[in-house]
């Protein structure tokens, strides 16, 4: 028992140093508001980084997805297809709009939505005359989905795709940034992401008019008038100038954070991959993952303990780890939702464990984690 050790968190914030200067500028300008020069600059700098020309800074990734789905016309009774293996914020906005969800299993190569199963589902639905209103794809745990194959299937039926790239900022797909090519791409700056603004998100698109409409809706849908005039319902989703100032500082260190995350994953791999019963999340051949979180699969019959035993052992040593996402089709809130496949993501949930991946960790921290896992084999 080593509770005297400092706690190692799963993926804590890691400031780069320039953030405070940008925040100071915001204070000096008195733009302590959900508007301001740092918001404008953050959106432009973000667009330049990801190669998608139009971006809107908002209060969260979930808010960004909500806006995207509304602009795609998702409404009561509409069906949306999404991966089962994802975070609930990557699908719950469908329900905000009165839509329903249908889920698809993951593939083994990337753990993202299986393009073959998606194609089968769309073919099946086309024959039945009930195509979905939209498809959501997620770039899970820092790895891009196979977006070209997903788009090929969806374009055949003119179904728009929203890429939830909240976990994969900095990852690439065929030498372009993850998420490019979708009608909308969603990002998150939650406190555990590879860069953070404490909370926040970004909605990006090639379509300037759609981003302008999203901006209108995100600011309570206020019509052009000297007083507050509203002809439709909007939301209070804008990002503040202070939060955007933090984001500008974080953008400057994104590449460093990606390289450090990958180094951490390599450290774990060198230390643990030879232990029978431990596997690592694969890296798909079409892209370069950020390794936002290093994930292992534990096969209890071979390793001698299951992933929950590993998690609890780490916790006793004051080390935070976390099971991978519980598939959406297994969540009580989505009980009975249609599901194509399911065995892959169910297996990932049963055996998957996210290891601490904070970029400020030292080699001493990493060795402490590794030794704790190794002791389970002795």
């Amino acid at each position: 028992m080593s509770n005297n050790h400092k706690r190692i968190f799963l993926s804590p914030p890691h400031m780069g140093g320039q953030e405070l200067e940008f925040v100071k500028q915001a204070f000096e300008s008195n733009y302590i508001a959900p508007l301001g020069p740092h918001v404008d600059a953050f959106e432009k700098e973000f667009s330049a980084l990801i190669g998608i020309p139009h971006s809107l800074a908002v209060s969260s990734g979930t808010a960004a997805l909500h806006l995207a789905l509304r602009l795609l016309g998702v409404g009561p009774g509409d069906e949306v297809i999404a991966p089962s293996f994802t975070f609930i914020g990557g699908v719950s906005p469908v329900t905000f709009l009165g839509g329903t969800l249908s889920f698809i299993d993951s593939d083994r190569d990337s753990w993202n939505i299986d393009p073959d199963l998606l194609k089968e589902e769309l073919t099946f639905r086309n024959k039945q005359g009930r195509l979905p209103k939209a498809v959501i794809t997620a770039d899970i745990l820092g790895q891009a989905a196979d977006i070209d194959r997903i788009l090929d299937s969806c374009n055949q039926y003119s179904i728009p795709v929203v890429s939830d790239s909240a976990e994969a900022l900095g990852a690439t797909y065929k030498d372009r940034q993850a998420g490019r090519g979708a009608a909308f791409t969603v990002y998150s700056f939650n406190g555990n992401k590879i860069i953070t603004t404490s909370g926040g998100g970004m909605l990006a698109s090639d379509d300037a008019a759609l981003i302008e409409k999203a901006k209108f809706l995100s600011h309570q849908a206020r019509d052009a008038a000297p007083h507050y005039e509203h002809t439709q319902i909007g939301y209070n989703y804008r990002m503040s100038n202070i939060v955007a100032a933090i984001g500008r500082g974080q953008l400057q260190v994104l590449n460093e954070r990606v390289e450090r995350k990958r180094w951490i994953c390599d450290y774990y791999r060198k230390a643990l991959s030879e232990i029978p019963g431990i596997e690592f999340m694969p890296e798909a051949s079409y892209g370069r993952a950020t390794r936002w979180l290093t994930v292992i699969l534990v096969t209890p019959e071979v390793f001698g303990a299951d992933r929950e035993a590993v998690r609890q052992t780490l916790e006793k040593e004051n080390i935070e780890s976390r099971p991978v996402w519980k598939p959406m089709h297994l969540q009580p809130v989505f009980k009975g939702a249609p599901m194509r496949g399911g065995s892959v993501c169910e297996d990932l949930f049963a055996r998957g464990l996210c290891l601490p991946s904070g970029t400020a960790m030292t080699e001493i921290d990493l060795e402490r984690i590794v030794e704790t896992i190794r002791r389970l084999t002795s």
Side-chain angles (χ1 to χ4, degrees):
M1 190 75 175
S2 304
N3 281 337
N4 290 332
H5 283 145
K6 71 170 185 178
R7 184 156 179 81
I8 299 177
F9 292 98
L10 186 68
S11 184
H14 184 185
M15 295 295 102
Q18 189 62 28
E19 296 86 353
L20 201 55
E21 177 57 33
F22 285 128
V23 171
K24 183 180 176 186
Q25 291 174 14
F27 270 75
E28 289 173 347
S29 70
N30 206 32
Y31 268 107
I32 315 298
L35 289 170
H38 284 299
V39 175
D40 298 339
F42 187 36
E43 290 169 346
K44 289 179 182 175
E45 291 164 6
F46 192 86
S47 275
L49 176 82
I50 61 174
I52 301 176
H54 308 287
S55 295
L56 175 70
V58 291
S59 57
S60 70
T62 303
L65 180 58
H66 189 189
L67 291 167
L69 294 169
R70 176 161 167 181
L71 288 169
L72 292 176
V74 174
D78 287 331
E79 287 187 283
V80 174
I81 290 178
S84 184
F85 188 59
T86 189
F87 172 60
I88 193 167
V91 297
S92 58
V94 173
T95 69
F96 302 169
L97 295 162
T100 61
L101 282 150
S102 179
F103 297 111
I104 303 287
D105 201 359
S106 303
D107 68 33
R108 281 283 179 193
D109 294 334
S110 72
W111 298 9
N112 285 302
I113 190 169
D114 187 323
D116 292 325
L117 291 181
L118 175 63
K119 186 176 182 178
E120 288 178 18
E121 180 70 14
L122 294 179
T123 301
F124 172 75
R125 285 171 172 267
N126 184 50
K127 290 177 180 175
Q128 291 193 326
R130 57 181 194 91
L131 288 167
K133 191 75 172 182
V135 167
I136 299 171
T137 181
D139 297 329
I140 207 76
L141 297 166
Q143 177 148 262
D146 196 346
I147 189 72
D148 281 356
R149 293 183 62 201
I150 293 165
L151 290 171
D152 284 345
S153 295
C154 292
N155 289 344
Q156 186 176 346
Y157 307 107
S158 300
I159 301 168
V161 174
V162 179
S163 177
D164 173 8
S165 300
E167 299 175 16
L169 178 60
T172 59
Y173 174 83
K174 296 182 180 177
D175 296 325
R176 64 182 194 260
Q177 291 294 313
R180 280 188 65 186
F184 286 104
T185 305
V186 170
Y187 300 90
S188 169
F189 310 117
N190 193 30
N192 64 357
K193 294 299 188 294
I194 194 163
I195 63 169
T196 183
T197 58
S198 74
M202 194 75 80
L203 180 64
S205 176
D206 293 324
D207 191 322
L210 286 176
I211 290 297
E212 195 59 33
K213 288 179 183 176
K215 186 175 184 178
F216 168 73
L217 290 172
S218 73
H219 210 178
Q220 299 288 18
R222 182 184 177 184
D223 294 328
H227 57 279
Y228 277 81
E229 181 83 5
H230 303 277
T231 53
Q232 55 187 302
I233 297 297
Y235 318 97
N236 183 12
Y237 279 170
R238 288 290 281 163
M239 177 181 282
S240 82
N241 199 48
I242 299 293
V243 167
I246 299 172
R248 293 188 69 196
Q250 286 277 277
L251 273 186
Q252 294 184 0
V253 295
L254 175 62
N255 291 337
E256 292 176 33
R257 298 291 181 264
V258 171
E259 295 311 311
R260 184 67 179 176
K261 291 273 188 184
R262 290 183 62 86
W263 182 88
I264 289 168
C265 183
D266 287 344
Y267 188 99
Y268 282 128
R269 189 182 291 275
K270 289 173 184 173
L272 298 172
S273 61
E274 298 302 317
I275 297 176
I278 288 184
E279 305 166 56
F280 283 77
M281 181 180 182
E283 184 168 35
S285 59
Y286 52 66
R288 188 172 192 262
T290 64
R291 303 298 193 179
W292 167 54
L293 296 177
T294 292
V295 186
I296 58 172
L297 295 179
V298 180
T299 303
E301 299 81 3
V302 180
F303 181 72
D306 61 18
R307 69 105 162 111
E308 187 57 15
V310 177
R311 189 194 69 77
Q312 290 178 0
T313 300
L314 289 167
E315 187 59 40
K316 287 177 183 174
E317 296 293 333
N318 213 13
I319 298 167
E320 183 184 20
S321 60
R322 189 180 68 196
V324 297
W325 305 123
K326 182 177 181 178
M328 292 298 108
H329 74 282
L330 300 181
Q331 297 286 357
V333 74
F334 294 124
K335 184 178 180 181
M339 175 72 191
R340 182 170 287 270
S343 61
V344 175
C345 63
E346 289 171 16
D347 175 59
L348 297 178
F349 175 59
R351 296 193 294 134
L353 186 70
C354 303
L355 299 180
S357 302
T359 47
M361 280 196 302
T362 65
E363 288 194 46
I364 293 173
D365 294 331
L366 284 162
E367 195 54 30
R368 186 176 140 208
I369 298 162
V370 165
E371 283 305 311
T372 301
I373 295 172
R374 280 180 176 152
R375 283 203 299 273
L376 280 165
T377 65
S378 59

